[in-house]
Amino acid sequence: MSKKGTHVSETPATQMLRKAGVEFTEHPYDYVDHGGTAESSRQLGVDEHAVVKTLVMQDDKAEPLIVLMHGDCTVSLKELARQIPCKKVEPCRPEVAQRHSGYMVGGTSPFGLRKAMPVYVEATILALPRICINGGRRGYLVGIEPKVLTELLGARPVHCANAA
């Protein structure tokens, strides 16, 4: 059962959204280790394609970056590296991702990051009417219009999705 009526305290992500005047809906759910977007979409009754995961990656110089991807897709690392451009991109280890973002893995939001990082968004996400994305804590998504990703974060559209 999801905790739909539960009050959720502020996070750096929701503080950033409120400060910017972004309207968002709150979607708490029961976090399940390794459940991923399949679990959150199931509990919330949302299409997994519209649940966006926030991935902390690094380039060939070990510089961190954020990739926003559909919940039901994976990132083509070769294609992403080609478009950025750099020699290679790889996921950060969980402890490194946490240090860069300030969020626990499983609760990473692209909003309110500890450290400024470039943000890349799978271009097809921007065509969706609405998305759910992590609100800065495990078991908590926020619903926003996709244009917020480019307008507030300056996210650069890329084409790097692989069907999962």
Side-chain angles (χ1 to χ4, degrees):
M1 296 293 280
S2 69
K3 305 178 274 188
K4 287 189 168 107
T6 306
H7 169 73
V8 179
S9 59
E10 288 284 308
T11 67
T14 57
Q15 289 170 349
M16 180 182 184
L17 291 170
R18 286 187 210 289
K19 186 176 178 186
V22 173
E23 288 187 29
F24 63 92
T25 53
E26 297 181 299
H27 305 276
Y29 65 95
D30 296 315
Y31 180 78
V32 175
D33 270 334
H34 308 293
T37 56
E39 184 62 30
S40 59
S41 66
R42 183 189 66 75
Q43 285 189 40
L44 297 171
V46 176
D47 180 1
E48 189 178 8
H49 197 67
V51 176
V52 176
K53 51 192 171 187
T54 304
L55 305 166
V56 183
M57 306 259 182
Q58 63 186 20
D59 65 15
D60 51 329
K61 296 176 185 84
E63 292 294 326
L65 57 109
I66 298 289
V67 179
L68 304 175
M69 181 55 68
H70 295 285
D72 60 353
C73 295
T74 60
V75 176
S76 167
L77 298 175
K78 283 184 181 179
E79 187 57 32
L80 178 62
R82 190 182 70 70
Q83 290 183 45
I84 288 181
C86 68
K87 289 180 181 157
K88 89 176 184 180
V89 176
E90 62 187 4
C92 286
R93 291 189 324 273
E95 64 276 9
V96 174
Q98 190 168 323
R99 190 171 64 243
H100 288 314
S101 70
Y103 292 113
M104 262 179 115
V105 171
T108 305
S109 176
F111 304 104
L113 294 166
R114 172 180 290 155
K115 175 180 187 176
M117 294 179 250
V119 179
Y120 299 92
V121 59
E122 168 55 40
T124 54
I125 289 171
L126 301 174
L128 297 171
R130 197 149 178 87
I131 59 169
C132 284
I133 194 164
N134 200 287
R137 117 170 349 109
R138 289 176 170 182
Y140 177 58
L141 301 180
V142 292
I144 59 170
E145 291 183 35
K147 69 179 183 180
V148 172
L149 302 174
T150 53
E151 292 175 359
L152 183 59
L153 298 176
R156 186 174 139 207
V158 291
H159 293 279
C160 61
N162 283 330

